[in-house]
Amino acid sequence: MKITFKIWSGLLMVLLLTSACDLDLEPVDEITDDKAFITIDDLDKGRIGVMAQMNGFAVIGQGDRASDDLRYAASNRGQGVSVHDWTFTASTSDLASAWNSNAHLVDAANRVLEEASRFDQENDIVKQAIAECRFTRAFAVFETVRLYCPNYAPEALGTPYLFKSEIIAPSRLSQQFVYQYILEDIDAAIPDLLQFDEDNNYWITQSAAYALKARVAQYMGDWDMAIQAADLAISTGDFRLAEIDEFQGVWDDELLDKVEVIFRKDIVSSKLGEYYTSSTNGDIYFHPSYDLMSQYEDDDVRKSIYFGKDDNNKDIVTKHDGREEGETNVVDIKYFRVSELVLIKAEAYVEKHMLTEAKAELNKIRTRRIVDPLDLDMSTQSLALKALQEERRRELAYEGHRFYDLRRWKLGIDRSEEDAPNGRSTTLASEDYHFVFPIPQDEIFANTNMVQNTGYGN
């Protein structure tokens, strides 16, 4: 039986110490160890509580607003405008939520890991709790790295990596060590994670861990690791891509296990689609960009699923507009999909100059999204890379990748005038410091060892 995460969201507050959001802050209220986790059953509920803290809306929403996939709407009343116009600063509150929620998640995972050390380390429940918390810690740190750190380079600034919940003022580590610790946590977690989730991919499995490893390897440019991890993510859980007639079901949360979605979170009331259109009065905050909509062939099923029209015939983003039956804009968040892993493999093959293999991977997706797909010209390295980049944009639109992909590829943003109405910003150069979000100002104030990102001041 699927357990709705919302039911367990308060358990961590009862079984653990009440957690602060910032990486360096200690909780205000404290429950002593002898009252927090008395039995292994308590520990099991605690690890479920950790999973309940997983989020990801801000990674998607803020990245979309800053990218070239959205167009400012006249009914926007200020929602996300500073991010969309790249005028944000360290004090922009919209950009603090991802930092704070992931810091909270790291802290929650570390608390359960500390409690787990008091129990029999050979007990299966204890081993699963430790594995899931190590995965969750790696996941949270990497999400923070994606938003708040420059492209991977061993000596470039990363983030803190905390292994305990304690009062400290952590410094930013080099990316070499941050990525090393992320991979160590993933690899340590894999053997004790579930091999398969019978509850439609709502639990952390080995496939989810391999998927995270593939994404990390992609950002590192370790293409052999990326291919191997992507293959294992798909094969370990025996996953497959959704077919054309199934793809709508992915976004309506109707598909059965092993189809497309590798790991998701059951969303009860939070509204991912609210980043684009209001669920209360239908006000449009951001339209899909004309440029993005023009990238799809007419018989591409994604075109009718990702985009639509409101009652006034205005373009809207419909990818996250809700289930067929249920509240508007309420839909599961899909952390990892098979198509992302296929695209990671394709990019890896392009980078390894294996263009035939890269084309085969892209065609796996295109034949399952387009009724009669056009043939791709991938005869040269530059053409293959362009095809990969365009297909990745089409497939993963509004899933929290585009803005960060443009930074990885060292490409700037150049919005057309029609995609930048009312004098909105049009151009963000590839070397512009706004491609890396600022460390939130509250974190800078709270932690004297925290170094701000270039361009924002400390």
Side-chain angles (χ1 to χ4, degrees), residues 135-149:
F135 166 91
T136 303
R137 181 169 66 190
F139 176 88
V141 173
F142 184 64
E143 290 293 83
T144 307
V145 168
R146 286 210 290 162
L147 275 69
Y148 301 98
C149 298

Side-chain angles (χ1 to χ4, degrees), residues 424-439:
R424 302 259 73 88
S425 299
T426 59
T427 304
L428 185 70
S430 61
E431 66 274 11
D432 194 294
Y433 68 88
H434 288 98
F435 259 116
V436 180
F437 291 147
I439 307 297

Side-chain angles (χ1 to χ4, degrees), residues 2 4-5 57 60 199-202 250-255 261 263-270 272 319-320 322-323 329-335:
K2 179 182 73 176
T4 300
F5 285 121
F57 282 15
I60 296 174
D199 290 325
N200 207 19
N201 315 325
Y202 288 99
V250 173
W251 308 106
D252 290 341
D253 297 335
E254 294 178 347
L255 288 190
V261 181
F263 181 44
R264 69 174 78 209
K265 180 174 180 178
D266 180 29
I267 299 298
V268 177
S269 59
S270 300
L272 178 56
K319 190 171 189 175
H320 306 300
R323 301 163 184 132
N329 289 338
V330 176
V331 68
D332 289 350
I333 184 170
K334 289 83 175 170
Y335 293 120

Side-chain angles (χ1 to χ4, degrees), residues 80-379:
V81 171
S82 65
V83 175
H84 185 66
D85 286 348
W86 313 304
T87 58
F88 49 81
T89 69
S91 298
T92 300
S93 58
D94 285 348
L95 297 178
S97 59
W99 178 277
N100 292 338
S101 64
N102 283 302
H104 181 104
L105 187 56
V106 169
D107 188 69
N110 281 338
R111 292 170 189 276
V112 172
L113 286 168
E114 291 169 24
E115 294 295 329
S117 66
R118 300 191 296 107
F119 293 92
D120 178 7
Q121 300 298 288
E122 296 304 313
N123 180 278
D124 287 342
I125 294 177
V126 176
K127 290 164 71 174
Q128 183 180 355
I130 292 172
E132 289 187 3
C133 286
R134 292 197 71 169
F135 166 91
T136 303
R137 181 169 66 190
F139 176 88
V141 173
F142 184 64
E143 290 293 83
T144 307
V145 168
R146 286 210 290 162
L147 275 69
Y148 301 98
C149 298
N151 283 344
Y152 177 76
E155 300 306 317
L157 276 179
T159 65
Y161 207 105
L162 301 186
F163 299 94
K164 295 176 63 177
S165 178
E166 56 184 344
I167 302 175
I168 58 172
S171 300
R172 297 178 68 173
L173 304 177
S174 70
Q175 290 194 22
Q176 175 183 349
F177 288 106
V178 175
Y179 277 76
Q180 174 187 323
Y181 295 145
I182 289 171
L183 291 172
E184 286 177 358
D185 268 343
I186 295 170
D187 287 340
I190 288 172
D192 295 319
L193 290 172
L194 297 171
Q195 285 193 320
F196 175 68
D197 169 22
E198 63 183 12
D199 290 325
N200 207 19
N201 315 325
Y202 288 99
W203 299 101
I204 300 169
T205 62
Q206 291 181 359
S207 287
Y210 283 124
L212 176 58
K213 187 173 183 177
R215 189 184 288 175
V216 172
Q218 176 191 44
Y219 274 68
M220 295 177 68
D222 189 329
W223 302 115
D224 289 332
M225 183 195 298
I227 292 169
Q228 181 184 46
D231 277 335
L232 287 168
I234 297 170
S235 63
T236 299
D238 194 25
F239 288 99
R240 66 172 176 84
L241 289 161
E243 301 294 338
I244 289 178
D245 61 352
E246 296 176 308
F247 197 55
Q248 178 68 63
V250 173
W251 308 106
D252 290 341
D253 297 335
E254 294 178 347
L255 288 190
L256 300 177
D257 51 34
K258 297 191 176 183
V259 181
E260 195 67 47
V261 181
I262 291 175
F263 181 44
R264 69 174 78 209
K265 180 174 180 178
D266 180 29
I267 299 298
V268 177
S269 59
S270 300
K271 299 178 179 181
L272 178 56
E274 203 80 9
Y275 278 101
Y276 318 99
T277 305
S278 171
S279 59
T280 56
N281 60 13
D283 279 356
I284 303 171
Y285 304 140
F286 291 97
H287 301 284
S289 70
Y290 290 118
D291 181 55
L292 175 61
M293 290 190 292
S294 71
Q295 301 297 315
Y296 297 84
E297 297 170 38
D298 289 340
D299 58 349
D300 191 326
V301 68
R302 295 171 296 194
K303 191 172 186 177
S304 61
I305 293 174
Y306 294 1
F307 317 115
K309 299 281 189 180
D310 70 359
D311 292 339
N312 297 313
N313 202 37
K314 294 182 178 179
D315 299 317
I316 56 174
V317 176
T318 56
K319 190 171 189 175
H320 306 300
D321 65 351
R323 301 163 184 132
E324 189 170 328
E325 295 183 5
E327 194 171 353
T328 302
N329 289 338
V330 176
V331 68
D332 289 350
I333 184 170
K334 289 83 175 170
Y335 293 120
F336 299 105
R337 291 201 293 121
V338 175
S339 58
E340 182 194 350
L341 280 301
V342 173
L343 287 162
I344 288 174
K345 287 181 63 180
E347 184 172 352
Y349 285 134
V350 171
E351 294 292 343
K352 288 168 64 66
H353 298 269
M354 299 170 65
L355 305 188
T356 300
E357 291 81 355
K359 185 173 182 178
E361 295 298 323
L362 291 188
N363 281 334
K364 288 179 183 178
I365 294 175
R366 291 174 59 78
T367 56
R368 289 166 174 83
R369 304 290 185 260
I370 308 170
V371 175
D372 186 19
L374 299 174
D375 186 49
L376 294 174
D377 184 354
M378 298 178 62
S379 56

